[in-house]
Amino acid sequence: MENNSRKMEWNKLISTMRLGLETYHSEKSESRTEFQRDYDRLVFSSPFRRLQNKTQVFPLPKNIFVHNRLTHSLEVSCVGRSLGNEAAKFLKGKYGDAVAECTSELGAIVSAACLAHDMGNPPFGHGGETAISSYFSEGKGLELKDKYNIRDEEWADFTHFDGNANTFRLLSHQFKGRREGGFVLTYSTLASIVKYPYEAYTVKGNKNKFGFFQADKDIYQKIADHLGIIKKEDGSYARHPLVYLVEAADDICYEIMDIEDAYKLRILDKEEAMNLFLDFLPIERQKKIQARRNDVPDFNEHIAYLRSAVFGTLIDECSRVFAENEEAILRGEFKGSLIDNMREDISSAYKKCQQLSYAKIYRCKEVVDIEIAGYNIMYTLIEKEIEAAFAAEKAYSKQILARVPNQYELDNDDPYKRILAVLDYVSGMTDVYALDLYRKIMGISLPEM
């Protein structure tokens, strides 16, 4: 078992080794551009493009100025690049030439990881995740465990289904007919995406957060061992240090941009939104901003300017927390997130946004109504697809399965992997595609000829 008292090393944590191309790996003088190639590979992929039709907070929004998963991921990537660049400056100043070369591309690594962090999320956001896990924990799927002798460790992947683990699978799994290594990303980019480096079977209570499915466990272990990520006594791993920067970029963007979206949808009034943003800033800067309000009559411009100022404040503060706790992070001893450890005045302003978001945004009627519909859509699709996968000889099953692309092995001999293949297919759908398929399966709409 690994000794948790030792420290991870930046020279090992940053590696251009690519999953699936280990045999061909060689250190080249231009290898620092490998992380930029990760970014480009993600941008030009079909799963990334599908994020434009996946829920962020407001499902199926009619307002084009409201964020979807794609615009959110792009913004998180921008913030992540800034955090990575700040971390690189700090590490160069602290360690000098000893780590300067390997850490010079931290901005590119974090930016790529941020771009990919939501790619495994199913349609309809957290409502989709809940529909999947509840089908197995309290719905018709319950009978599958005993019927097909699925191991407890494997069953936990379904009852705790989580988009984070699904992202790692999407990026690393070799689907039928596809290349080994999935997206063939660098080890460092892949490790930077895994926020919860442990398996579902170890999750306590009702929490659904974990890092990788049983089917992909060996892949993560190979990556973690190569990078020198600490393995703890309970079998879980410490986080790769860059995970903290990816997480912070996501936390910053979704909390602050949700406030701006809520203002644009008139869920929050303009003074309410403005005061939430002003609370992040020093009093003197608040006074200057208030004094300039009359110079620009468009209030949207005020909100955009304030949001930018808040981003700058949060990036600086999270960078400070990372720098001050870098030693603890390398030992795998740092507790919580960077956001959790901000200084009191900024943390208080952030918590106000969280509290108001929950009360007025995430629980508003429009969001809840569509979440309910999305839950039913996802639940029905999973039910129909699994029934077809385990009764492929039936006439109706053949019709259902005829729509499934060949890359998904719904005929796998292993029942666990067959169910996982169904979840691969359903979770990869966009909101619009899932709704259309649901209508066709339920006979609500017929295709035009």
Side-chain angles (χ1 to χ4, degrees):
M1 190 66 64
E2 297 283 355
N3 183 354
N4 198 28
S5 65
R6 74 179 183 87
K7 282 171 56 177
M8 294 179 276
E9 302 172 14
W10 286 109
N11 283 320
K12 289 190 68 176
L13 289 165
I14 308 304
S15 170
T16 59
M17 180 80 77
R18 288 192 177 277
L19 184 65
L21 291 180
E22 290 85 353
T23 304
Y24 305 99
H25 177 71
S26 62
E27 296 293 342
K28 302 175 183 177
S29 59
E30 70 272 17
S31 63
R32 284 176 292 168
T33 64
E34 291 298 317
F35 306 115
Q36 296 167 19
R37 293 189 182 110
D38 282 349
Y39 185 96
D40 296 344
R41 193 166 293 188
L42 291 162
V43 166
F44 286 99
S45 70
S46 295
F48 182 73
R49 289 195 297 275
R50 286 198 290 270
L51 291 177
Q52 68 184 305
N53 256 320
K54 284 197 174 187
T55 294
Q56 175 58 20
V57 172
F58 302 100
L60 303 173
K62 295 179 180 178
N63 189 326
I64 63 171
F65 299 106
V66 173
H67 290 78
N68 53 44
R69 289 282 177 189
L70 186 139
T71 50
H72 167 71
S73 297
L74 289 169
E75 289 168 351
V76 174
S77 183
C78 290
V79 173
R81 183 177 62 241
S82 296
L83 288 167
N85 287 339
E86 288 299 311
K89 288 180 190 176
F90 160 73
L91 293 172
K92 182 178 180 181
K94 181 176 180 177
Y95 297 107
D97 294 339
V99 302
E101 183 175 357
C102 75
T103 60
S104 64
E105 286 285 296
L106 292 195
I109 301 172
V110 177
S111 183
C114 288
L115 203 67
H117 81 283
D118 271 351
M119 285 174 63
N121 281 48
F124 304 104
H126 295 301
E129 288 179 322
T130 303
I132 293 172
S133 59
S134 64
Y135 174 78
F136 298 101
S137 62
E138 60 188 34
K140 287 188 177 181
L142 263 173
E143 65 185 32
L144 298 172
K145 183 179 187 296
D146 292 334
K147 186 175 181 180
Y148 295 104
N149 297 315
I150 298 174
R151 295 187 297 114
D152 290 345
E153 294 90 337
E154 295 173 335
W155 189 248
D157 288 349
F158 306 141
T159 57
H160 294 278
F161 182 87
D162 180 56
N164 293 283
N166 203 44
T167 294
F168 183 74
R169 177 172 176 80
L170 173 67
L171 298 174
S172 62
H173 178 65
Q174 182 180 10
F175 290 93
K176 187 177 180 180
R178 304 298 176 86
R179 67 193 299 187
E180 182 184 356
F183 276 56
V184 195
L185 298 178
T186 61
Y187 279 19
S188 293
T189 295
L190 285 169
S192 299
I193 294 164
V194 183
K195 291 171 64 175
Y196 312 102
Y198 43 81
E199 49 198 299
Y201 186 61
T202 65
V203 173
K204 305 298 182 183
N206 295 323
K207 294 183 179 179
N208 282 353
K209 301 300 183 185
F210 66 102
F212 41 82
F213 297 122
Q214 289 296 309
D216 312 309
K217 179 179 175 179
D218 289 346
I219 296 175
Y220 181 76
Q221 289 180 333
K222 177 173 69 172
I223 292 171
D225 292 345
H226 176 82
L227 297 178
I229 297 176
I230 292 172
K231 190 172 185 179
K232 301 181 179 181
E233 291 184 0
D234 62 2
S236 67
Y237 283 86
R239 284 176 160 187
H240 189 289
L242 299 187
V243 169
Y244 289 99
L245 302 180
V246 174
E247 179 182 48
D250 187 28
D251 289 345
I252 290 169
C253 286
Y254 81 72
E255 195 58 66
I256 303 307
M257 296 311 301
D258 286 353
I259 297 296
E260 186 171 355
D261 278 353
Y263 159 70
K264 290 176 180 177
L265 291 174
R266 301 298 182 257
I267 294 172
L268 302 180
D269 63 47
K270 61 184 182 181
E271 293 300 327
E272 198 169 22
M274 186 169 185
N275 288 334
L276 284 169
F277 285 169
L278 284 171
D279 281 348
F280 284 91
L281 307 177
I283 296 296
E284 288 303 314
R285 190 170 184 188
Q286 290 185 32
K287 291 178 180 178
K288 291 179 181 178
I289 290 172
Q290 293 280 33
R292 290 200 296 266
R293 284 185 63 178
N294 293 331
D295 297 334
V296 182
D298 187 344
F299 193 79
N300 287 328
E301 287 295 310
H302 288 291
I303 289 294
Y305 174 75
L306 275 171
R307 179 248 301 148
S308 176
V310 172
F311 270 21
T313 297
L314 289 171
I315 288 169
D316 289 345
E317 180 63 6
C318 287
S319 297
R320 180 193 66 79
V321 175
F322 182 84
E324 290 184 0
N325 293 279
E326 182 245 357
E327 295 279 343
I329 289 171
L330 289 178
R331 291 193 301 269
E333 297 172 354
F334 182 69
K335 304 298 183 184
S337 66
L338 301 183
I339 290 286
D340 292 336
N341 289 272
M342 295 188 299
R343 71 173 193 257
E344 181 57 34
D345 58 328
I346 298 177
S347 179
S348 176
Y350 188 87
K351 287 175 182 175
K352 284 182 183 178
C353 290
Q354 285 181 312
Q355 291 164 0
L356 186 139
S357 294
Y358 184 81
K360 288 195 172 183
I361 301 174
Y362 308 143
R363 296 293 91 193
C364 77
K365 180 179 182 298
E366 293 80 5
V367 170
V368 172
D369 284 351
I370 298 182
E371 280 187 351
I372 292 171
Y375 178 98
N376 288 324
I377 290 167
M378 289 295 292
Y379 193 98
T380 301
L381 291 180
I382 296 161
E383 179 183 343
K384 298 298 183 184
E385 296 292 342
I386 285 182
E387 286 177 355
F390 283 94
E393 73 284 354
K394 293 183 178 180
Y396 184 62
S397 296
K398 291 177 181 177
Q399 292 177 316
I400 294 288
L401 297 175
R403 292 186 59 105
V404 181
N406 291 332
Q407 72 190 73
Y408 303 110
E409 297 183 75
L410 270 61
D411 58 350
N412 197 297
D413 292 335
D414 183 339
Y416 163 72
K417 292 182 179 178
R418 191 181 307 185
I419 294 173
L420 207 52
V422 170
L423 299 185
D424 289 335
Y425 172 52
V426 175
S427 65
M429 296 177 183
T430 64
D431 294 13
V432 173
Y433 183 90
L435 174 59
D436 180 63
L437 182 58
Y438 169 81
R439 285 172 171 166
K440 287 181 171 65
I441 287 176
M442 300 303 291
I444 297 172
S445 67
L446 294 174
E448 295 181 2
M449 299 299 289

